Each structure stands twice: as C-alpha cells, then as structure tokens.
C-alpha cells in the first residue's frame, strides 16, 4: 500500500482495496472471486438507512482525551457531538481519568451554502482553541461543505501557527463512500498525519499498540500481557495525544477488529517498521491462540506465550467442551461488519453451531497488504462454507433470510438490528462488546450466554406474538437479491 | 451565518423524521446521505413498528452528487411502497439534493395516484433545526394531504404540542393534555403516538378548534389550518405543569371553547384537592431538606424553560436564577416569550437568555450566586458542571443520558407531581 501522509484526503475503501457492499452467494464463491480478481459488487435500487462514515471517523477521534473536534456543517452532522460528550465523560470516569474533549458544530445555514463560511470556521477554530486549550484539533467537513467546496485544508494551514497544537483537516463527506468503515481509515490517517512522530532515538520500550473500541477488557489484558513482559497501549478510547505521538516506537500493533485497525497497523509497519499482527482475531479458541503465538513470534516471546496457553487451556477447554454439548447442531444466521462476521462464524463453528447464512455489511476484497482477509482464509482452509451476502445493514434482506431459514439464533452487532430478529421470533444474541468472545474466558461466557438465550425464549415469543412486522408478504416471497443491480 | 455550536441541543431540519416516526404507521423516506437517519435518531425508544434503520433512504453517493439523484429517489419510493406496509409515506430531503438541485417535489408528484398517500417536506439540514423541520412535516400534511371537509364534529379539538423525541416527555404530555381537555367535555384529537395515526389525521379538518400548547413551535401550522379550513386556534404558550398553571389553562380552554364555567371549576377543584393532598403530605420534604435551595436554573427549549420556571415559582415558591432557552427560537418570537417569563407571582420576573452556546451558559451558571447548592434542570451537558458546584441536577431536556422515560410526563397536575418526585429523588440521595 502506498500511503501519502502529506495529503489530508484518504482514498475510499472501494477505490483502495476493492471493497463492496452488495453480493449474494456463498463464502467459497466470494473468496475465489476475490482471489482471482473477478469479484464485482452490486448496488441497490432500493435501500434502507445505514451509517455515515463521519460517525465512524469522528467518534474514534472524539474518544481521544482532551482534543477538539470541529464538525463544519449543518446541525444534524455535528449532532454526534452529544453522544461523544457522554462517551468521553463515562469512559474517562470508568478508567479513573478525566477528559475535556469537545465536539462542536458550526450550525451552517442556507446563506453559508451560497456565500461560503470559511471566515466563520476560522473564528470557530480559534475560539475553541482559546476556550479549551485542546491538545490537538480535528477539523472535519460534511456533505454540504464538501459539495460547495469549502477549502478546510487552507483554513487549517492558515491557523496552524496561531493555534500552536497539532491541527488537521479530516474529510468526512458522507456521500463519498458506501463503506462507513472508510471513516476508521480517515481517523487513522488524521492521527498518522499530524500526531504520530518518528521514534525517538534510543528509546526502548515494551509497548504494544492495541486498537480496540471501548476497552472493556483492558484491565485483564494488561494483566495477561504482564506474563509476556508487554505493556499494551489501548487506542483510541481514553488515549492521550502524548501516547499517540509515540505509536511508532512500539514493538508491534494489534487490533481487535481487522476493519477497525488495518489502516493504522499497515501504515505503522510500512512507515516505521512496527510489525502489524495480521492473524485471525482473538475471538474464540483458535483465534486467541493464533493471535497470541504471532505476538510471541514478532516480539520474540514465544516461550512465555506457550506457557500461558498451556496453563489457560487446562482451566477453560474442559468447561467450553461441556457447554458445547448443549449447543451442537443449532443453526444460526449472523449479520455484522466483515471484521466480525467471518471471525464469529469461526467461533460458532468451534462451538458446534451451524452457520446457515452470514451477512457482512461490507466486504474488503483484500487488505492493505494485498491479501484476502485472514478470517476468510481460515474458513476456506478448514472447509467451512455457508451462504453469504454482503448487505450494507439492509434490514429487509436480513428479515427475508430469517423468514426463509428460521434459524435457532441470530447474532447481531449493530445498534437497532437485534430487535428485528426478536420480532421475527428468532432468539438473538447481541455481540456488542468487542471482547464478547475474547480468549478462553469470554468464549466460555459467550457459549453460556447463547445457551441462556436458547433456554428462555419468553421475551421473543411474547413480543413476536404481539407485533406485526412492517414488511409486506410480497417482499417475503421475493429473492433476497431482488434489488441488487450490477454496478455500473 | 455559521457559528460556534458548543454543546448543541437540537438537530437539523431532517431530524423531523422523528416527527414522522411518532405518527403510527407513517414512514419517512429519506433522500439523503446513508447515515443521516442513524445520526438523527435516538438510541432509546426507537424500536417501534418502524425504526430508523429501516427508513428507506436513497443513500446518496458521489455519482448522485454529480448527476442528480432523482432516479434513485423514484425507485426508492416505488419499492418502499411495495416492501413496507405503511399508511402514509413522507419523503424528506436532506442537504445534498437541495444543494445539487434535485426536483424532489416533481418526483413525489409522480406518486399522486398511488394507493397510499406519498407527500414531501423539504428538510435540508442547513434550512433550520428540527423544531422548524417538525413544522415543515405538519405543514406538508396540511398542504398536501388534508382535504376540506363539510363535516364538523362538535367539541372536537386538535391538540398540538412540542416536538416528539426532541421532547423526552412528548407521549405522556400529549396524553395528559388530552385527558384534561376531555374532562371539560370536549373531544381531543392528536396525531402522535400509540393508537393515533392516519385516522386522526383525517379528522383534523372536522375539528371545531385547534389548541396549540407551545411557546412557538407549531404556530405556523395552526395558522395554516385556520386559513385552509377556517378552524380558530387558541395559542396557549405555557405547557401547564402543576396546579396554578393547569387551572389557568383549563379556564382559558373552557372560555375559548364555550364550556360552562361551573363545569370547568368543578374539574379544577377535584384536581387541586388531590394535588394539595399530596403537597401537604410531602411539604416537610420541601421545607426541611438541606440541599434544595430557592434558586434554580432551567436549560431547555422554550417550552420547558418557561413551563418549569412558572411551576417552580408559582406553585413551589422557588426563585428563578437566570433561565436559558436553547432551541434557537426564531427572533420574531423571542420578545413575546421573554414577556411570559415576567408573568410570575409577586411580580417576580425571570431573566431569560436565548443562548445556543453551551460554554457561555456554563460560565453564567458558574458565576451565579445561588445562595447555596444550585438546582439545575437541563440537558446532560449540565450534569458535570452542576456536580462540580455540589448542586442538584435533573436531566429534563435533550440530550438525555441520565434516565429512561417511556411515557412519563410533566404536563398537568399529575405532571407537576412527577417533576417534584424527580427533583426530590435527587435531593434525598444525599444528606447535605
């Protein structure tokens, strides 16, 4: 991958790594077409709402402590600032630190769309800097400012000396990519561009960059890494600008979700030689062990890792095997981002649950290094195949599938999606926390939670009996790919 | 002109998709970017018959920006009619189609003959906030859907209040206002929430009166209804909370609609008796606690700033510190709303500031002498600052993170009691 950190604009996932949002077929077909380069995504002539890349991009940046996000656009764009305010307060409190991160808007109005508003933006940046003395400032565009051609790069350059802290333009026009995960890349790009510094000479460290979402397992991972004499630096939730500036000095980079972390990991490797751990992720038994062993390998700590694995296996594997007996043969449909769909599919297979259909909200044909994502590779090598679609959070497609397949379980990961399976009468497990099936302990908890969901279906039955689904009979009789069109 | 929106309290006009969402079986169709619906929705209380993640959306991409998105809009509407079972389809346009010049109204007009009604409201984000967007949606229903009716229903009153979802208590408040109006022998008609919907919308032109309970939101709609259908309206600016204001409200509604005075007074007496039975029992809590002082501040939209100020001053005898109205009230309404803050018992006048900059609000709260612990009723943004002043905080306005409200309400006599329960629940959680 050739990265240009001198430019503030990041190419979209579609253009950079051939990502798609529309496909119906099988896992094998999807992978084979990816490998030989013949995979073509489809578009839709009917779609339901999904996600804006600015949500992914700016919420990541707003999770950093004591920074300022300035979202230049109408009030609806910056409305995420309310959620970010809450998140930064509660997450900092949980960690026992404080964060004065601010996320402001510019309440752009009709006149601004005609006459432009860069002068106002300039004032807003300086005022925010004066009020809060942030450690870094991120200035984002929106659809409206993007279309009218507001030159936020120039404004940022113009005030750079005056503000005296790292300041960077972040291009978040929601229309530019169907793949909201492009927002993750945008946030990484901004951090890499303005905050990460080259390694200081002579600094020796045992740090490992750990990219995640909300760090719920942070304390236990710190404890675990003590066994290997490694010190994880969690990103970006509760990160400080100072911590981020030294990411280039770490021994390695790893992440909890390939979709979330691949841009940062690859650039740190390419630019600063920090190895990026590119294994299947930490979900489930095989994933956890493969990941740990790779960390052991790149940081030269294999002996310690093997010892740890042996000791933990003895505690947990028999327990997992016990629960597995009650799960074997159950069927499941799952709908998640690709960073999880193909990882969770593997874990379900480990637990004896048969995946009948997996939906990924998008699909990255390859990662930045040109390879097919490791989670896919693993499934293929182990001869695991099932029907698959790439569905951009299209709930009507999920419902069509659930209606036809009537699985024992539905696994979701995105807010607002779980209830629909329940209304269909399908027990659903919400895999919200990225550590839900992290390592042996959480894999065991996950298995037990699935069992709980199967054993008491009262809520599903109660709600399904009383709620009418909004989709017409006509739709349930159609094929799931009815609205897919060959991309032009 | 663009400005610093620090600690924002409202959304953009497209946020009016939530007003559509509040009408049972009405479906918003968005001609907007793929993530607008998700951004503008509430994470809590949105998984109804329709939820934001199933709102059809043209999910505009780069090509549509260049070549226009009308074709996609047409196929989205056409297929929404086939896939989703709704009674009313409301097309809402976001920023992009309005900047690039899509003629969305023309596309929607192609569906005039469809089996189910399809209407259109221009709600580009830069055209105003969701309070304005809410009016756009109601006005679109009036202009494009409602037909003149020869039928008039005696005593039928359309009730209009503040903005669903933006107002945490919208559902409960509407139901309570309906109950009060019904007790006067009138027949209330509202269009939002459970068991209301297209049938109630159809009844709007048959009403004898419109009752608007809001400082300013919805005024253009009741004026429109007067012009189109000749229905007179009563604009009652204060959401009635507690005994003083609710009794006043009932008297004015009674007078406007011609309800016999004796009947009105009988209703009032029954409510006031019970209200004061409760107040008398809990008076010791008000009088002998160590943490609720006389001075309070409300940080909310015009509706709650005004309503809570009146309640706490006129019913409970508290003293208003500065009050903040944060909904970006249009300039032409501000003076008359500020006047309302001066109509308090004992010639007390509350100082009110129309302010959208949260930083300035916090500076004023910090610098005010509350003669003790401040009582602040506001958005989640006021939690930390109030706590830093050892004050008492209640989250009553958007954004809401501190509580969950299904159908609780502050309107009416009972609503006043609910608000007191909330304030003193916070008070008893500490000693001093």
């Amino acid at each position: 991958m050739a990265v240009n950190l001198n430019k503030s604009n990041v190419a979209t996932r579609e253009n950079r790594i051939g990502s798609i949002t529309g496909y119906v077929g099988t896992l094998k077909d999807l992978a084979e077409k990816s490998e030989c380069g013949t995979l073509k995504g489809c578009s839709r002539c009917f779609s339901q709402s999904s996600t804006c890349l600015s949500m992914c991009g700016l919420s990541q940046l707003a999770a950093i402590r004591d920074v300022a996000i300035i979202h230049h656009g109408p009030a609806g764009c910056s409305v995420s600032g309310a959620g970010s305010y809450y998140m930064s307060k509660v997450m900092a409190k949980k960690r026992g630190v404080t964060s004065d991160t601010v996320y402001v808007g510019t309440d752009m109005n009709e006149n601004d769309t005609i006459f432009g508003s860069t002068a106002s933006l300039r004032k807003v940046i300086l005022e925010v800097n004066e009020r809060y003395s942030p450690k870094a400032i991120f200035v984002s565009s929106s659809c409206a400012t993007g279309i009218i051609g507001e030159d936020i790069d120039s404004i940022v350059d113009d005030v750079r000396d005056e503000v005296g802290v790292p300041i960077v333009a972040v291009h978040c026009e929601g229309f530019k990519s169907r793949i909201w995960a492009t927002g993750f890349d945008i946030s990484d790009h901004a951090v890499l561009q303005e905050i990460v510094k080259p390694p200081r000479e002579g600094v020796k460290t045992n740090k490992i960059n750990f990219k995640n979402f909300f760090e719920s397992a942070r304390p236990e991972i710190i404890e675990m890494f003590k066994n290997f004499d490694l010190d994880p630096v969690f990103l970006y939730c509760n990160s400080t600008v100072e911590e981020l500036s030294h990411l280039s000095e770490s021994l390695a980079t790893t992440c909890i979700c390939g979709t979330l972390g691949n841009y940062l990991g690859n650039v740190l490797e390419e630019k600063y030689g920090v190895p990026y751990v590119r294994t299947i992720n930490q979900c489930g038994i095989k994933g956890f062990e493969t990941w740990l062993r790779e960390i052991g390998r790149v940081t030269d700590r294999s002996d310690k890792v093997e010892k740890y694995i042996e000791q933990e296996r003895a505690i947990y594997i028999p327990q997992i095997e016990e629960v597995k007996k009650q799960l074997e043969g159950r069927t499941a449909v799952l709908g998640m981002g690709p960073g999880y769909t193909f990882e969770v599919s593997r874990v379900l297979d480990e637990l004896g649950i048969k995946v009948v259909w997996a939906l990924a909200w998008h699909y990255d044909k390859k990662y930045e290094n040109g390879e097919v994502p490791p989670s896919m590779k693993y499934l293929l090598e182990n001869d695991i195949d099932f029907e698959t679609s790439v569905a951009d959070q299209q709930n009507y497609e999920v419902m069509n599938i659930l209606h036809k397949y009537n699985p024992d379980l539905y696994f979701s990961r995105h807010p607002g999606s779980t209830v629909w399976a329940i209304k269909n009468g399908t027990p659903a497990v919400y895999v919200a926390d990225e550590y839900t099936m992290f390592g042996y302990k959480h894999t065991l908890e996950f298995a037990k939670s699935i069992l709980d969901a199967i054993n008491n279906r009262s809520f599903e039955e109660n709600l399904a009996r009383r709620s009418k689904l909004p989709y017409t009979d006509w739709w349930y009789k159609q094929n799931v790919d009815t609205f897919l069109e060959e991309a032009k | 002109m663009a400005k610093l929106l620090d600690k924002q309290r409202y959304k953009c006009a497209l946020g009016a998709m939530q007003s559509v969402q509040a009408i049972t079986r009405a479906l918003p169709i968005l001609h907007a970017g793929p993530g607008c619906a998700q951004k503008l929705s509430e994470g809590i209380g949105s998984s109804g018959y329709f939820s934001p993640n199933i709102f059809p959306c043209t999910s505009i991409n780069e090509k549509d920006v260049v070549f226009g998105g009308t074709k996609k809009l047409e196929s989205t509407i056409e297929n929404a009619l086939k896939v989703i079972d709704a009674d009313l389809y409301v097309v809402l346009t976001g920023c992009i189609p309005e900047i690039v010049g899509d003629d969305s109204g023309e596309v929607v007009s192609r569906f005039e003959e469809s089996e189910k009604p399809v209407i259109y409201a221009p709600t580009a984000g830069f055209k105003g906030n969701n309070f304005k967007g809410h009016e756009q949606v109601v006005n679109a229903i009036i202009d494009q859907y409602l037909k003149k009716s020869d039928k008039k229903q005696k005593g039928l009153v359309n009730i209009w209040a503040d903005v669903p979802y933006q107002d945490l208590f919208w559902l409960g408040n509407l139901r309570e206002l309906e109950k009060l109006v019904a007790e006067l022998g009138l027949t209330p008609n509202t269009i939002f929430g459970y068991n209301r919907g297209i049938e109630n919308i159809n009844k709007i032109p048959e009403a004898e009166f419109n009752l608007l309970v809001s400082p300013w939101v919805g005024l253009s709609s009741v004026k429109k209804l007067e012009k189109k259908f000749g229905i007179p309206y009563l604009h009652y600016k204060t959401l009635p909370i507690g005994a003083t204001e609710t009794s006043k409200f009932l008297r004015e509604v009674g007078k406007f609609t011609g309800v016999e005075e004796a009947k009105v007074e009988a209703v009032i007496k029954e409510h006031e008796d019970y209200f004061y039975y409760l107040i008398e029992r809990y008076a010791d809590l008000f009088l002998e606690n160590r943490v609720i002082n006389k001075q309070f501040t409300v940080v909310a939209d015009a509706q709650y700033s005004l309503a809570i100020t009146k309640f706490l001053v006129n019913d409970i005898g508290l003293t208003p510190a500065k009050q903040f109205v944060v909904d970006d009230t249009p300039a032409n309404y501000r003076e008359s709303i500020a006047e309302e803050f001066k109509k308090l018992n004992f010639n007390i006048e509350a100082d009110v500031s129309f302010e959208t900059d949260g930083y300035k609000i916090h500076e004023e709260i910090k610098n005010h002498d509350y003669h003790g612990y401040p009582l602040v009723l506001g958005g989640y943004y006021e939690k930390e600052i109030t706590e830093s002043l050892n004050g008492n905080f209640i989250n009553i306005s958007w954004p809401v993170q501190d509580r969950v409200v299904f159908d609780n309400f502050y309107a009416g006599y009972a609503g006043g009691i609910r608000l007191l329960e909330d304030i003193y629940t916070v008070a008893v959680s500490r000693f001093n």
Side-chain angles (χ1 to χ4, degrees), chain A residues 302-321:
Chain A
S302 292
D303 292 350
K304 287 177 178 161
V305 165
E306 289 305 329
K307 200 178 137 208
Y308 178 80
I309 288 175
E310 194 187 325
Q311 164 196 320
E312 294 293 302
R313 278 191 79 96
I315 304 170
Y316 289 105
I317 299 295
Q319 296 183 66
I320 293 171
E321 287 300 324

Side-chain angles (χ1 to χ4, degrees), chain A residues 45 47-51 54 75 77-78 89 105-107 109-110 112 131-132 178 416 420 423 468 470 472, chain B residues 1-3 5-8 10 34 38-39 48 53-55 57 59 75 82-83 85 126-127 357 359:
Chain A
C45 64
S47 57
Q48 298 187 319
S49 291
S50 75
T51 299
S54 77
C77 300
S78 52
K89 295 301 171 194
T106 60
D107 212 0
N109 66 17
E110 191 152 26
D112 299 318
R131 282 182 184 181
Y132 299 104
R178 287 286 334 185
W420 292 105
K423 286 194 202 182
K468 178 191 176 306
T472 57
Chain B
M1 210 170 68
K3 61 173 188 279
L5 192 56
D6 191 343
K7 301 180 177 57
Q8 81 178 70
Y10 48 79
Q38 189 178 61
K39 270 202 178 188
N53 56 338
I54 76 161
F55 295 168
C57 178
S59 296
S75 74
K82 280 197 234 161
V83 175
D85 176 22
F126 54 80
K127 288 247 167 102
D357 187 337
Y359 176 83

Side-chain angles (χ1 to χ4, degrees), chain A residues 45-52 54-55 71 74-80 82 85-86 89-90 104-110 112-113 117 120 124 127-128 131-132 143-144 147-148 174-176 178 395 416-417 419-420 423 468-472 474-475 483 488, chain B residues 1-8 10-12 25 34-35 37-40 47-63 65 72 75-76 79-80 82-85 95-96 99-100 125-127 328 357 359-360 380-381 384 398-399 401:
Chain A
C45 64
F46 173 68
S47 57
Q48 298 187 319
S49 291
S50 75
T51 299
C52 179
S54 77
M55 286 258 271
H71 201 158
C77 300
S78 52
V79 80
S80 322
Y85 177 88
Y86 162 76
K89 295 301 171 194
V90 296
V104 304
T106 60
D107 212 0
M108 187 180 178
N109 66 17
E110 191 152 26
D112 299 318
T113 67
S117 51
S120 309
V124 167
E127 180 65 27
V128 167
R131 282 182 184 181
Y132 299 104
C143 291
I147 295 173
I148 64 165
F175 59 79
K176 77 177 175 190
R178 287 286 334 185
N395 189 65
S417 61
V419 68
W420 292 105
K423 286 194 202 182
K468 178 191 176 306
L469 288 167
Y471 298 108
T472 57
W474 177 85
W475 168 242
F483 296 117
K488 283 157 209 134
Chain B
M1 210 170 68
K3 61 173 188 279
L4 173 50
L5 192 56
D6 191 343
K7 301 180 177 57
Q8 81 178 70
Y10 48 79
K11 304 171 182 177
C12 68
R25 292 182 55 82
Q38 189 178 61
K39 270 202 178 188
L40 298 168
S47 57
Y49 179 56
F50 300 137
S51 72
N53 56 338
I54 76 161
F55 295 168
C57 178
T58 52
S59 296
I60 294 169
N61 63 22
E62 222 150 17
K63 265 187 227 151
V65 171
K72 215 175 200 175
S75 74
T76 303
N79 292 313
K82 280 197 234 161
V83 175
I84 303 180
D85 176 22
C95 296
I96 306 169
I99 296 177
V100 304
F126 54 80
K127 288 247 167 102
D328 208 14
D357 187 337
Y359 176 83
K360 289 184 183 159
Y380 185 75
Y381 299 126
E384 193 180 61
W398 198 91
Q401 293 289 355

Side-chain angles (χ1 to χ4, degrees), chain B residues 101-122:
Chain B
D102 281 356
D103 190 349
S104 308
E106 191 278 319
V107 176
V108 173
S109 72
R110 296 177 206 163
F111 294 89
E112 262 168 22
E113 301 300 313
S114 70
E115 202 183 314
K116 304 275 186 71
V118 184
I119 61 169
Y120 152 69

Side-chain angles (χ1 to χ4, degrees), chain A residues 316-352:
Chain A
Y316 289 105
I317 299 295
Q319 296 183 66
I320 293 171
E321 287 300 324
E322 203 48 43
V323 188
K324 192 177 156 180
K325 284 180 198 156
Q326 299 173 71
L327 293 174
E328 250 159 356
R330 308 279 183 169
T331 56
V333 170
L334 68 167
M336 301 176 181
Y340 268 77
T341 291
F342 303 115
E343 309 278 1
V344 176
S345 301
R346 178 187 68 244
V347 182
L348 294 179
D349 182 68
E350 282 179 343
L351 296 175

